[in-house]
Structure formats: structure tokens, C-alpha cells
Amino acid sequence: MSEHVIRYDATHIEVLEGWEAIRRRPGMYVGSTGERGLHQLVFEAVDRAVNDVLADRAGGTVDVILTADGGVRVADDGPGLPVESADDTGDSGLEAVLTRMHAGARPGGRRAVDAGLFGLGLCVTNALSSSLTAEVRREGVRWVQEYARGVAVAPPTAAGAATGSGTSIAFRPDADVFGTVRCSFTALAERFRELAFLNRGLGISLTDERGPSGARSEHLRYPGEVRDFVAFLDAGAETAVHPDIVGIEQEDARMEGVIEVALRWSHSHEERVRGFANSRPTPEGGTHTAGFRDGVAAAVNAHARQRRLLAASDPDLSADRICAGLTAVVSVKLDHPEFHGATRGVLGGAAVRACVGEAVREHLGAWLAGHPEQAAAVVGRIVRD
């Protein structure tokens, strides 16, 4: 054993906070230092913008621009971030949002859109950008503040008069942190399309100015919400078994939230059920998608027995068999969502499964009874297969 004594005391403890901690271990905050983490910077900025818009009014617009110089600009027509002092630190509300974790106004409860990886907020985008410029239009004044790698260059400065209101965040992802600083238009558009489908009245535009042949844009706004989502997912599928998309929208106090479901069967044998909780994808499912399958199976089996398509001695059709060829979007918006795991890919909450299952069973059962020709096509196909 070495005779050298290693002294360990409080002086050896290193405490990292705020931007310094994020820059030291970026993968812990955005998932990776590759393309996935790069896109997360954009999602954190869009999360803030969407929530500002939704908190201000029912509808609004968020514009995302991939600029020719390799930067990203996210602008909204919300109320504009506050520039007055937020607390006894003397920092403005704008500075608090840009430098502190979990800071920022949200519409609250079921109206909040959850797009960030861990809900840490815009400070992550700021810390992992080589430069960031915030512009706020609020109460007739335009305010500007610049940052370099998460540190304010100067306090917010009044830069003249402004019309309307809103916030613009322009940033350049730090090439010293990320293996690539070129965002994928396709990947960003896919996520923004989901947000637009899931929030009626919300408009999101994505513009790419980096191409040699000029800019390309997508403007996303869908008044039909989840019904439009299913129609989009079904666009490349085989012929639909029935023309109507079944839609369900119901509030349930037992789960303190709202259920929004749309579904349609096609002649494919692939099951495509997309689950979301507070507009956040749940790729590993959870109680909302489990409840959906419970409800679909119960409604179809009840209808099949009522129409004598199953004999009394026949076992119930399994959920796997019933859901083959089904395209569906299952969205719940909860006051207090419970996720399993740090990355929040699975939704919990026992009440959610029971409430979604009951709503789907009742509404789908009523639709099957009220549309006998379409119901015969759906149930007949399932029984024959």
C-alpha cells in the first residue's frame, strides 16, 4: 500500500450550477451531442414559444427559420417575455428564462405543451449556443439582449418602438459542443406537425434558408386536430375499410384531463397507434394507449355478439386481432401527468387507463351502432381474418 496519504475534505467538492453544469455535461441535458441533441435545442426554444402563445390566447403562430448562416430563429406573436425584474436577484424576467432551469411562463395544467426533454427550458438552448440574441416586443417597446455561451453580454436594452407583441430567439448551436450544427428540416417538420395536429388553432411555420436554390417552407395548422392527424398518417396506407374517421373528445374529472382520440381501420395488417400526453410523444405507450386498446376491444366484441357474428361459445376477439390495420391517435391532456422514467416515454396514472377505456368503449360502440354498413365492414373483416 502506498505510504502517500490522499487527503479528502470539503475543498475537493466541486459544485456546478446553471450554464456551467450544462456545458460540462451537455448530453445529460439534451440527450446527446449529435443530431438528436442539436434538435433538442430547437425544441426547447419552440416549447417556450408555443406555451407563451397558448397562454395568451386560443390561437397564435410560431415561426422557425433555419437561417443561411447556420443559425436558428424562433419567433412568436405571444405577449412577449417580461423584461422587468423577476425577483430579489435583480434579474429581468427575460434573463431568468434564459439562465435558470425550469423558468418560464406556462399556460398551466392540461393546456401546457411539453416539448422539452426534461422540462429544463430555454436556458439549455442558451448555454449550448455560441451566441444567442433575444428580442422582445412588449407594451410598445422593443428590447434586445445578447448572450455568448450562456453568459449575458449586457442587460436587456430598449432598442426603439415596437408594434404588436412577441418574442424572437435567434441562436447558433455551439460547434465546440455538437458533432454537427446542421439541423434536419425533415426531423424538425415532423415534430412541429405533431404539435400543430394536437393543438387546435396553433400555427407553426418552418422555413429553411440554407439551400442554394432559395428558401423552402412548410406552414402547419390543422383545424381538425387528431382527425386530421389520422388522415395524414393514413395517406400512404392501403385502402380504408370505412370512409369515416371516428373522433372522440371528452373531459373526465376523474383523471383531471381531456381525452382526444381518432381512429380508422385500413386493409393493412399493421397496427399504428400513436400516443401523446400533453402533446408529448409517448413512444413506449402507457396507461392512455392501454386504455384505448381495452375500449376498442370491448366495443368491437360487444357489437360482434349483438350482431351474432360471434357464437355464444366463441371466445372474445383479442385486442391484437382487432387492432390489426388500425390507425389511431390517442392524446390526453392532463392537469398532473405522471410519467415513468426520466425521459418520460411512458405515461402512468391508473385513472387514465380506466377513463380512456370507458370513453372509447362508449363512443366507438355508439358509432358502430349508428353506422351499420361501416360497422359491418369493420367487424366482418376482423372476424374473417
Side-chain angles (χ1 to χ4, degrees), residues 77-137:
D77 59 358
L81 285 168
V83 291
E84 64 270 16
S85 177
D87 51 33
D88 56 8
T89 65
D91 290 343
S92 68
L94 176 62
E95 291 172 290
V97 170
L98 287 169
T99 60
R100 300 186 204 171
M101 298 181 188
H102 306 289
R106 301 179 70 84
R110 69 192 68 174
R111 294 181 60 218
V113 167
D114 192 350
L117 185 60
F118 301 115
L120 299 178
L122 194 53
C123 71
V124 174
T125 302
N126 191 15
L128 298 179
S129 296
S130 58
S131 63
L132 181 147
T133 300
E135 295 188 19
V136 175
R137 291 175 293 121

Side-chain angles (χ1 to χ4, degrees), residues 208-265:
D208 190 348
E209 298 179 340
R210 302 168 300 176
S213 57
R216 62 168 171 163
S217 297
E218 284 204 33
H219 301 276
L220 310 167
R221 189 187 296 267
Y222 303 101
E225 263 186 314
V226 291
R227 289 175 186 261
D228 287 344
F229 203 165
V230 166
F232 174 81
L233 294 173
D234 255 358
E238 296 184 33
T239 308
V241 174
H242 54 104
D244 292 352
I245 295 176
V246 182
I248 301 166
E249 186 171 343
Q250 180 173 308
E251 182 173 358
D252 198 317
R254 293 172 297 172
M255 65 178 230
E256 298 183 281
V258 175
I259 301 161
E260 297 168 349
V261 171
L263 60 101
R264 182 167 62 185
W265 277 270

Side-chain angles (χ1 to χ4, degrees), residues 68-375:
D69 62 359
V72 181
R73 185 164 68 250
V74 179
D76 66 75
D77 59 358
L81 285 168
V83 291
E84 64 270 16
S85 177
D87 51 33
D88 56 8
T89 65
D91 290 343
S92 68
L94 176 62
E95 291 172 290
V97 170
L98 287 169
T99 60
R100 300 186 204 171
M101 298 181 188
H102 306 289
R106 301 179 70 84
R110 69 192 68 174
R111 294 181 60 218
V113 167
D114 192 350
L117 185 60
F118 301 115
L120 299 178
L122 194 53
C123 71
V124 174
T125 302
N126 191 15
L128 298 179
S129 296
S130 58
S131 63
L132 181 147
T133 300
E135 295 188 19
V136 175
R137 291 175 293 121
R138 184 180 175 93
E139 298 174 351
V141 180
R142 175 174 167 267
W143 296 85
V144 178
Q145 186 178 30
E146 296 183 359
Y147 284 78
R149 291 182 168 84
V151 179
V153 175
T157 303
T163 58
S165 64
T167 303
S168 172
I169 303 294
F171 61 94
R172 293 179 62 87
D174 196 339
D176 291 339
V177 173
F178 295 98
T180 177
V181 291
R182 184 175 179 83
C183 293
S184 164
F185 182 93
T186 301
L188 295 180
E190 180 179 357
R191 176 57 184 144
F192 299 156
R193 189 176 294 111
E194 290 176 349
L195 289 173
F197 276 130
L198 296 170
N199 294 277
R200 186 180 291 122
L202 173 66
I204 303 180
S205 71
L206 174 62
T207 301
D208 190 348
E209 298 179 340
R210 302 168 300 176
S213 57
R216 62 168 171 163
S217 297
E218 284 204 33
H219 301 276
L220 310 167
R221 189 187 296 267
Y222 303 101
E225 263 186 314
V226 291
R227 289 175 186 261
D228 287 344
F229 203 165
V230 166
F232 174 81
L233 294 173
D234 255 358
E238 296 184 33
T239 308
V241 174
H242 54 104
D244 292 352
I245 295 176
V246 182
I248 301 166
E249 186 171 343
Q250 180 173 308
E251 182 173 358
D252 198 317
R254 293 172 297 172
M255 65 178 230
E256 298 183 281
V258 175
I259 301 161
E260 297 168 349
V261 171
L263 60 101
R264 182 167 62 185
W265 277 270
S266 75
H267 286 287
S268 166
H269 285 84
E270 179 186 2
E271 177 183 340
R272 295 184 296 174
V273 177
R274 301 279 295 275
F276 298 87
N278 290 45
S279 300
R280 179 184 189 84
T282 51
E284 299 167 65
T287 51
H288 55 331
T289 53
F292 169 78
R293 286 169 59 85
D294 293 344
V296 169
V300 170
N301 275 298
H303 187 83
R305 292 195 182 282
Q306 185 180 14
R307 294 293 186 270
R308 301 183 186 278
L309 298 173
L310 289 176
S313 58
D314 290 336
D316 278 349
L317 300 166
S318 69
D320 286 343
R321 182 174 176 180
I322 291 170
C323 291
L326 184 63
T327 299
V329 173
V330 183
S331 171
V332 293
K333 296 176 180 176
L334 307 169
D335 289 342
H336 308 288
E338 300 176 17
F339 293 99
H340 295 166
T343 57
R344 300 182 289 177
V346 181
L347 182 68
V352 174
R353 180 168 187 169
C355 293
V356 173
E358 181 180 305
V360 172
R361 174 177 55 79
E362 291 180 356
H363 285 269
L364 179 57
W367 181 85
L368 291 169
H371 300 78
E373 291 185 3
Q374 295 188 63

Side-chain angles (χ1 to χ4, degrees), residues 20-43:
E20 188 179 8
I22 297 170
R23 289 190 63 83
R24 182 72 67 88
R25 298 286 186 269
M28 292 178 59
Y29 297 89
V30 293
S32 81
T33 55
E35 188 178 73
R36 176 190 173 198
L38 175 69
H39 292 158
Q40 194 59 45
L41 294 195
V42 184
F43 297 152

